[in-house]
Amino acid sequence: MKTWLSWLAPYAIAALVIVFISRQYSITAIRAEMAKGEWLPLIPLAFVTYVASLAWVAAADRTVLRGLLAEDLTPSYLAVAKGKAAAVVLHIVHYALGQGVYATWMARRTRLNLGQAGGLIFYIILAELGSVCLYAALVIGIGRPDVPSAVFPLVLGVALALIAAVVFLPATRSERFGFLQIWVKVGRARGLAQLGIRVGQHATTTTATWLAARWFGMDLPLAVMLSYLPVILVVGSLPINVAGFGAVQGAWLLLSPWAPAERILAFSVVWQAASALALVARGLPFLRGVLADIREGKQSAAPTGPSD
């Protein structure tokens, strides 16, 4: 029963959010805004954006792996990119499915056991959260956009907490505590480097999203868009959305002081659809190979711990 509830929860939450939004805002008006907007150019823009994003995130994930594994056990940059792209295709269907496939693929390719691979995925998830908050803090601190005063200390606090973990945990004996051994083995230098790479990824995706919004017909200040988009990205990455739809539409309404709510919702639907299409096109060619790696690894690989 618990398994079924955990799988159905994202769909139920997404449906509730969509029902709530449909009662607060006119569906007819949203559809009219979708019809008025320039949506066709967003499809190639989304594809280019998420190919570039994959280049960043594969470099970040491989930086983490190089701190964990001997060179002969570390997957190549291209292999990591393929594994990540394929897992994201399943992530669109369900958050746990995508993360589970990526963790299992990592375990098969690197000879980490599943517990260590799970710790690795947890490290990556926290790194993504910390880097997106760091990016938001940098944009707000430098650009000084007109956003609520509570946003800056919130994102700065999360970013500093994650940076502190990267800096100080390697100096402790926390490797005795299961999943924390990942933090110790990755170390400070690689931990900070992969955070910096992920900031580059967020700069790419948020700038492209601002450009897409302008093409669609939303004239938003760049600093405002770059400040709020990290928050939207965090909400969109949570396991309470399905294929990019659900609670994230509510997060998009943070931009309502700068554009009509119906236009914002129309853009969010069109951009999420274009993004989902781009992610599938990016990862589908590699999905069969990644699943084959998992099957072959299950049959032949003997799990061992990561090399020192």
Side-chain angles (χ1 to χ4, degrees):
M1 179 63 73
K2 289 183 179 179
T3 302
W4 277 105
L5 287 175
S6 65
W7 272 84
L8 292 174
Y11 297 94
I13 294 171
L16 287 173
V17 171
I18 291 170
V19 169
F20 176 78
I21 289 175
S22 67
R23 292 188 173 182
Q24 297 295 315
Y25 302 97
S26 168
I27 298 298
T28 302
I30 294 172
R31 290 174 61 186
E33 292 291 346
M34 290 173 66
K36 286 193 302 183
E38 292 288 338
W39 57 269
L40 195 57
L42 304 193
I43 296 175
L45 176 61
F47 184 76
V48 171
T49 298
Y50 286 103
V51 169
S53 174
L54 179 63
W56 286 106
V57 76
D61 285 4
R62 192 167 189 271
T63 299
V64 174
L65 286 170
R66 291 182 69 188
L68 285 177
L69 303 164
E71 192 63 33
D72 61 325
L73 291 178
T74 304
S76 68
Y77 173 80
L78 185 58
V80 174
K82 290 179 178 179
K84 189 74 169 186
V88 169
V89 174
L90 299 177
H91 193 163
I92 292 171
V93 178
H94 196 285
Y95 179 87
L97 182 60
Q99 296 291 4
V101 164
Y102 195 46
T104 306
W105 179 79
M106 283 289 189
R108 304 306 185 213
R109 285 297 301 262
T110 63
R111 299 183 185 176
L112 294 170
N113 63 45
L114 280 177
Q116 292 166 333
L120 171 62
I121 298 302
F122 182 67
Y123 181 98
I124 290 172
I125 290 171
L126 289 183
E128 289 174 346
L129 174 63
S131 61
V132 79
C133 289
L134 175 60
Y135 174 69
L138 289 172
V139 170
I140 296 171
I142 296 171
R144 302 291 180 179
D146 184 19
V147 298
S149 58
V151 174
F152 181 68
L154 175 62
V155 294
L156 182 62
V158 173
L160 290 178
L162 268 295
I163 291 172
V166 168
V167 170
F168 294 115
L169 278 179
T172 69
R173 297 180 60 83
S174 55
E175 70 270 14
R176 297 174 297 173
F177 303 103
F179 67 91
L180 289 179
Q181 66 181 271
I182 304 296
W183 298 77
V184 177
K185 290 182 177 294
V186 172
R188 289 193 193 95
R190 292 189 189 277
L192 292 174
Q194 59 90 27
L195 280 177
I197 294 169
R198 295 184 200 280
V199 168
Q201 175 208 359
H202 301 313
T204 299
T205 54
T206 53
T207 303
T209 303
W210 172 74
L211 180 59
R214 290 187 65 85
W215 285 0
F216 188 78
M218 289 172 54
D219 189 15
L220 295 172
L222 176 61
V224 169
M225 187 67 127
L226 297 187
S227 300
Y228 276 115
L229 270 176
V231 179
I232 295 168
L233 290 174
V234 169
V235 175
S237 70
L238 296 175
I240 52 176
N241 302 276
V242 178
F245 297 95
V248 69
Q249 266 65 51
W252 275 102
L253 290 171
L254 291 170
L255 297 170
S256 58
W258 292 274
E262 288 80 5
R263 186 173 302 167
I264 292 170
L265 291 170
F267 171 72
S268 74
V269 170
V270 171
W271 182 241
Q272 291 297 155
S275 298
L277 183 63
L279 292 172
V280 170
R282 185 190 73 176
L284 197 58
F286 310 122
L287 183 57
R288 184 176 180 181
V290 166
L291 295 178
D293 282 347
I294 292 173
R295 287 193 299 270
E296 291 170 7
K298 186 175 182 179
Q299 294 168 1
S300 60
T304 63
S307 300
D308 294 324

